[in-house]
Amino acid sequence: MASISATEKKKPSNRFRSDSDAASLPEPGANPLGDYIRESARTIHRTELTMALLRWMLSVVAVFFSLVLIDQWLWPLSTVARYVVWVGFISGTVLWFITMVLPLIGRTIHPHYAARQIETTLPEIKEGLITWVQLSDSDSPPPKSVLNAVGRYVAKQLKGQDIASVIDQLNP
């Protein structure tokens, strides 16, 4: 495999793609490997959004269950205390929604993050997918033969791998 110099390696600072990364992969349909990564990123995005909403719902049920137990069995709350709890709950929900859900709604998953997540569940790829993404994303594109060789290796390893099953293995 081709080696990549330290200046060519681009590590994303987080899992989200910024506006400057808009052209980081070839156009849809132009490359099956790029399409696989794009679809994986969408699947990861949906999974993370669903998990965030499920965590919120579980938290809501736990808080209300705890409040009912406290109010009915341990210490009856006054009307003012119930309003304070209600305002605190609404404030916490709004704050949680702003910090946990809104970042997921307005952005897309970065291809490097999607490739890293795929390689986490499929170690037999051996950094090939990350290498392919970095090579196809570089400012000075490598020779087509190098990119094609890395792409063929990764495609052979990914053959028969369903995106949903690979992503589902990330969140047991």
Side-chain angles (χ1 to χ4, degrees):
M1 261 191 235
S3 64
I4 301 172
S5 70
T7 58
E8 290 177 358
K9 268 192 176 180
K10 293 181 182 175
K11 296 279 185 187
S13 60
N14 59 25
R15 65 181 173 231
F16 297 116
R17 179 192 304 220
S18 65
D19 293 337
S20 63
D21 294 331
S24 63
L25 287 177
E27 291 298 317
N31 191 325
L33 202 51
D35 293 342
Y36 189 89
I37 292 173
R38 227 179 258 100
E39 184 61 32
S40 298
R42 281 192 294 270
T43 303
I44 291 170
H45 186 261
R46 282 191 303 265
T47 302
E48 289 188 5
L49 184 59
T50 302
M51 292 298 290
L53 293 174
L54 287 174
R55 281 187 205 108
W56 173 77
M57 289 187 341
L58 183 63
S59 299
V60 167
V61 169
V63 166
F64 278 131
F65 183 72
S66 300
L67 287 175
V68 167
L69 285 178
I70 290 169
D71 186 37
Q72 297 299 316
W73 288 355
L74 299 176
W75 184 46
L77 299 175
S78 67
T79 304
V80 173
R82 288 181 184 164
Y83 280 122
V84 168
V85 167
W86 181 251
V87 168
F89 173 74
I90 296 297
S91 301
T93 297
V94 168
L95 179 66
W96 182 87
F97 186 80
I98 289 170
T99 59
M100 301 301 281
V101 176
L102 281 182
L104 292 173
I105 290 175
R107 298 181 181 162
T108 59
I109 299 293
H110 199 283
H112 291 221
Y113 179 77
R116 173 62 64 201
Q117 294 299 91
I118 293 169
E119 287 182 353
T120 300
T121 58
L122 300 172
E124 62 269 10
I125 294 177
K126 300 177 186 169
E127 299 285 326
L129 194 55
I130 294 274
T131 303
W132 184 85
V133 169
Q134 289 174 341
L135 287 173
S136 64
D137 190 23
S138 67
D139 294 333
S140 58
K144 287 282 188 191
S145 60
V146 172
L147 191 59
N148 289 339
V150 173
R152 276 192 301 274
Y153 171 76
V154 172
K156 186 172 82 169
Q157 299 297 323
L158 288 175
K159 188 174 185 178
Q161 297 288 341
D162 183 37
I163 294 170
S165 66
V166 170
I167 302 305
D168 285 345
Q169 292 175 13
L170 292 173
N171 297 313

